[in-house]
Amino acid sequence: MAYPFQLGFQDATSPIMEELLHFHDHTLMIVFLISSLVLYIISLMLTTKLTHTSTMDAQEVETIWTILPAIILILIALPSLRILYMMDEINSPSLTVKTMGHQWYWSYEYTDYEDLSFDSYMIPTQELKPGELRLLEVDNRVVLPMEVTVRMLISSEDVLHSWAVPSLGLKTDAIPGRLNQTTLMGTRPGLYYGQCSEICGSNHSFMPIVLELVPLPYFEKWSVSML
């Protein structure tokens, strides 16, 4: 859950999000070093009167400033492609949940069970209980087992939506007539909040997502009580 004036990402709750955080730090350090070097050269050119005319035509310098950016791009591209393939990989999920976007609520169906589906609406501000978060609480949370690979099938029944949970590193578009899929695996129990991340109409801001990750025995009890 984000807090006021937060500058960084939310704490990672899945292996994919941890990889994304590491990649972000890796890329940010490269950008920081490049920026420092450029600022140093600019300040040097503005403060010194010494010039080397032979340097401007040196073939060695041209070779360096051609090869060095290529090496830097490779150092960024390789881990990026690795994470991209990891996000698309699906390893025999233990549970499948179908998510449908509507104007303006979400509906969920646990396809491994006969009759386990529900709609999830935002709780109006006047009905919130003490301690609940405005514009983020829903009447029916998505309960999922932790440390279990879960496949999410995401689509829409009307307009474009986007199912996003930042702490899990998830953001998948819900497109009418198309079934997109993504996988998640939470590493610790808790409540994790998200919102629709695609402008979908007047109530776009009122489509929250709440995932409740619980140990497997608690999930089994919850699923039996819902049937």
Side-chain angles (χ1 to χ4, degrees), residues 90-155:
I90 298 177
N91 295 322
S92 58
S94 304
L95 180 68
T96 300
V97 180
K98 181 180 175 184
T99 304
M100 296 294 293
H102 308 266
Q103 288 183 313
W104 288 270
Y105 65 95
W106 297 99
S107 61
Y108 299 94
E109 178 184 352
Y110 292 71
T111 58
D112 298 289
Y113 297 84
E114 273 191 27
D115 189 19
L116 181 51
S117 60
F118 53 83
D119 296 330
S120 181
Y121 290 86
M122 186 195 75
I123 299 177
T125 303
Q126 61 271 18
E127 297 179 12
L128 290 175
K129 299 177 182 177
E132 292 185 335
L133 302 171
R134 178 178 172 269
L135 301 182
L136 288 177
E137 297 291 347
V138 296
D139 54 357
N140 291 309
R141 296 170 176 168
V142 183
V143 181
L144 297 173
M146 55 178 286
E147 297 180 340
V148 169
T149 302
V150 180
R151 175 174 58 187
M152 304 295 299
L153 301 177
I154 301 167
S155 185

Side-chain angles (χ1 to χ4, degrees), residues 60-74:
E60 294 82 2
V61 176
E62 293 184 2
T63 304
I64 291 173
W65 73 39
T66 302
I67 294 178
L68 192 59
I71 295 175
I72 293 174
L73 288 176
I74 291 173

Side-chain angles (χ1 to χ4, degrees), residues 184-205:
L184 66 92
M185 185 177 69
T187 55
R188 61 178 186 268
L191 292 177
Y192 302 100
Y193 296 88
Q195 288 179 303
C196 176
S197 296
E198 188 75 47
I199 296 177
C200 56
S202 59
N203 289 336
H204 157 69
S205 301

Side-chain angles (χ1 to χ4, degrees), residues 12 14-21 83 86-87 168-169 183 185:
S14 67
I16 293 296
M17 189 58 189
E18 291 178 1
E19 293 287 341
L20 289 173
L21 289 178
I83 296 175
M86 288 175 61
M87 294 176 69
L168 290 168
T183 58
M185 185 177 69

